[in-house]
């Protein structure tokens, strides 16, 4: 059995590894070769914490396991990350524990991989301006991964807490992209690709602010009640997602679905585009929207890569069962 620490995950798993692993598992999900089990998430009545499991089985990649963890709001004051998680991988042939893998860094890279996969498959090839809505922990990972998918010339950004924007500006500077803080309407007018990655509970981007041809990756809404964009924008866009069952219940599409603006049948798994079953973007004027809800299989996919690379590089701790 292997133990792979947070630090080792950072050393061995790069953005390209995460992209490849998550793209493969989205493809397997769309073919019915991989499936997520129902998510458990509970307020435990201690330390204000939310705790739960995301699990699944990828028969194509032979990855079985779960991510266990949640949100401890008091952690920041102790110098720890509020989101804490660990991935458990099991041998699908025997059920034996194969690996314990730190899940915090991997959650960020697998989430950034998801939006970057959507950009790779759905954004216009001539996209030049990247709009960032959000500037928290995940935003820098999102920006770095997105920047590798198109020849962006500029980043425009808005955040609910403006004091967090310099942190994102530093990431843009690090990768050599000019950065402008702007208001939301101007962001919509300028951006060819928009990533929203906030914990908002109300629409931040309205339909009338978005240009034809824009690709939007809505990444923050992963729970019932959260919301980042206008339901009319979701209904007007061609919508893709990681998993339809999550998109309509806990994803960005939940609001457009609940208000009857669109039906579940209007949503396409991004795996269908990866597999060539759906064309993806069909015109330069179409607005495409990726509803990235976050599935356990993404975590298992990147954790499996971490375990394999850490073992190969002699960086995993090997423990007898
Ligand atoms: P964070 O706490 O570091 O940052 C929160 C962000 O939301 C900041 O930009 C903050 O300014 C903004 N925000 C807070 N309250 C807001 C409000 N009322 N209105 C608008 N914006 C507000 O969090 P993070 O780790 O960067 O995660 C951001 C979001 O992404 C969270 O909601 C998290 O649950 C979600 N998330 C989704 C996935 C996925 O797979 N889809 C994975 C990880 C995290």
């Amino acid at each position: 059995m292997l133990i792979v620490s947070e630090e080792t995950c950072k050393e061995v798993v790069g953005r390209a590894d995460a992209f490849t692993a998550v793209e493969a598992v989205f493809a397997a999900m769309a073919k019915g070769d991989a499936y997520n089990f129902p998510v458990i998430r509970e307020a435990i009545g201690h330390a204000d914490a939310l705790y739960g499991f995301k699990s699944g089985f990828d028969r194509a990649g032979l990855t079985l396991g779960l991510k266990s963890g949640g949100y401890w709001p008091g952690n920041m004051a102790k110098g720890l990350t509020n989101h804490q998680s660990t991935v458990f991988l099991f041998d699908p042939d025997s059920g034996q524990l194969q690996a314990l893998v730190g899940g915090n860094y991997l959650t960020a890279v697998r989430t950034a991989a998801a939006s970057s996969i959507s950009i790779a498959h759905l954004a216009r090839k001539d996209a030049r301006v990247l709009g960032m809505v959000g500037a928290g922990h995940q935003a820098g990972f999102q920006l770095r991964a997105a920047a590798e998918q198109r020849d962006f010339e500029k980043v425009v950004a808005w955040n609910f807490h403006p004091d967090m924007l310099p942190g994102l500006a530093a990431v843009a500077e690090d990768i050599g992209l000019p950065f402008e803080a702007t208001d939301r309407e101007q962001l919509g007018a300028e951006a060819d690709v928009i990533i929203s990655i906030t914990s908002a509970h109300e629409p931040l981007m309205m339909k009338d602010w978005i240009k034809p041809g824009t690709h939007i990756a809505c990444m923050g809404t992963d729970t019932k009640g959260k919301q980042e964009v206008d339901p009319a924008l979701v209904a007007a866009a061609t919508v893709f997602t990681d998993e339809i069952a999550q998109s309509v219940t806990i994803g960005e599409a939940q609001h457009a679905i609940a208000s009857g603006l669109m039906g579940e049948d209007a949503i396409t798994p991004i795996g269908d585009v990866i597999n060539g079953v759906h064309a993806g973007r069909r015109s330069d004027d179409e607005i495409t929207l990726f509803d990235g809800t976050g599935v356990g299989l993404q975590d298992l996919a990147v954790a499996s890569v971490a375990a394999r690379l850490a073992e190969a590089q002699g960086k995993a701790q090997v423990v007898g069962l």
Side-chain angles (χ1 to χ4, degrees):
M1 196 268 289
L2 306 176
I3 298 180
V4 185
S5 69
E6 280 291 336
E7 279 312 306
T8 299
C9 287
K10 288 181 196 164
E11 284 167 28
V12 299
V13 180
R15 282 187 294 279
D17 301 309
F19 185 105
T20 306
V22 173
E23 189 182 47
V25 86
F26 283 166
M29 282 164 58
K31 281 189 198 147
D33 287 341
Y35 53 101
N36 293 286
F37 305 153
V39 174
I40 307 277
R41 198 162 162 89
E42 298 284 331
I44 59 171
H46 178 78
D48 242 353
L50 284 175
Y51 171 74
F53 308 102
K54 282 188 167 184
S55 57
F57 178 45
D58 177 2
R59 209 181 309 116
L62 286 182
T63 312
L64 175 69
L66 60 91
K67 178 166 87 167
S68 161
Y71 186 73
W72 277 260
N75 274 8
M76 197 83 95
K78 301 178 202 162
L80 299 170
T81 310
N82 287 353
H83 289 273
Q84 289 290 333
S85 62
T86 306
V87 180
F88 295 65
L89 296 175
F90 300 94
D91 180 347
D93 293 315
S94 68
Q96 283 197 302
L97 184 59
Q98 275 180 330
L100 293 178
V101 185
N104 297 350
Y105 163 75
L106 291 183
T107 299
V109 284
R110 67 74 146 150
T111 306
S115 63
S116 70
I117 288 162
S118 83
I119 294 167
H121 287 280
L122 298 170
R124 284 173 55 146
K125 296 272 184 288
D126 60 355
R128 292 291 174 268
V129 179
L130 174 61
M132 293 294 304
V133 177
H137 176 68
Q138 299 277 341
F141 290 91
Q142 293 282 330
L143 172 50
R144 284 182 195 276
E148 290 168 349
Q149 306 310 322
R150 291 291 183 267
D151 293 328
F152 290 114
E153 292 169 354
K154 182 166 90 166
V155 178
V156 288
W158 175 88
N159 193 47
F160 184 71
H161 301 103
D163 54 311
M164 295 168 89
L165 283 168
L168 194 61
V171 174
E173 190 182 351
D174 189 46
I175 56 177
L177 280 177
F179 182 93
E180 277 173 26
T182 183
D183 62 45
R184 287 175 282 162
E185 210 166 332
Q186 185 63 22
L187 189 151
E190 285 197 52
D192 303 310
V193 170
I194 298 173
I195 298 175
S196 60
I197 182 76
T198 73
S199 38
H201 284 71
E202 59 194 5
L204 301 174
M205 296 301 295
M206 306 311 289
K207 174 175 171 281
D208 293 347
W209 302 347
I210 305 296
K211 293 191 298 189
T214 301
H215 173 66
I216 311 167
C218 297
M219 303 305 297
T221 300
D222 57 359
T223 308
K224 196 169 167 50
K226 281 190 186 173
Q227 185 173 19
E228 296 191 295
V229 304
D230 185 357
L233 170 58
V234 179
T238 309
V239 180
F240 301 84
T241 188
D242 41 22
E243 189 175 84
I244 290 174
Q246 287 200 173
S247 172
V248 300
T249 51
I250 59 169
E252 194 59 44
Q254 64 180 288
H255 307 285
I257 293 277
S259 53
L261 289 173
M262 67 186 283
E264 186 173 327
D265 55 356
I267 306 175
T268 304
I270 187 106
D272 278 354
V273 182
I274 297 166
N275 292 330
V277 172
H278 188 288
R281 167 177 294 281
R282 281 167 296 206
S283 84
D284 279 353
D285 285 346
E286 189 175 9
I287 293 174
T288 52
L289 186 148
F290 176 64
D291 187 2
T293 65
V295 294
L297 282 169
Q298 281 171 261
D299 298 300
L300 303 188
V302 288
S304 167
V305 172
R308 181 164 44 78
L309 294 178
E311 185 177 32
Q313 295 173 25
K315 290 178 174 169
Q317 200 181 329
V318 184
V319 180
L321 273 179

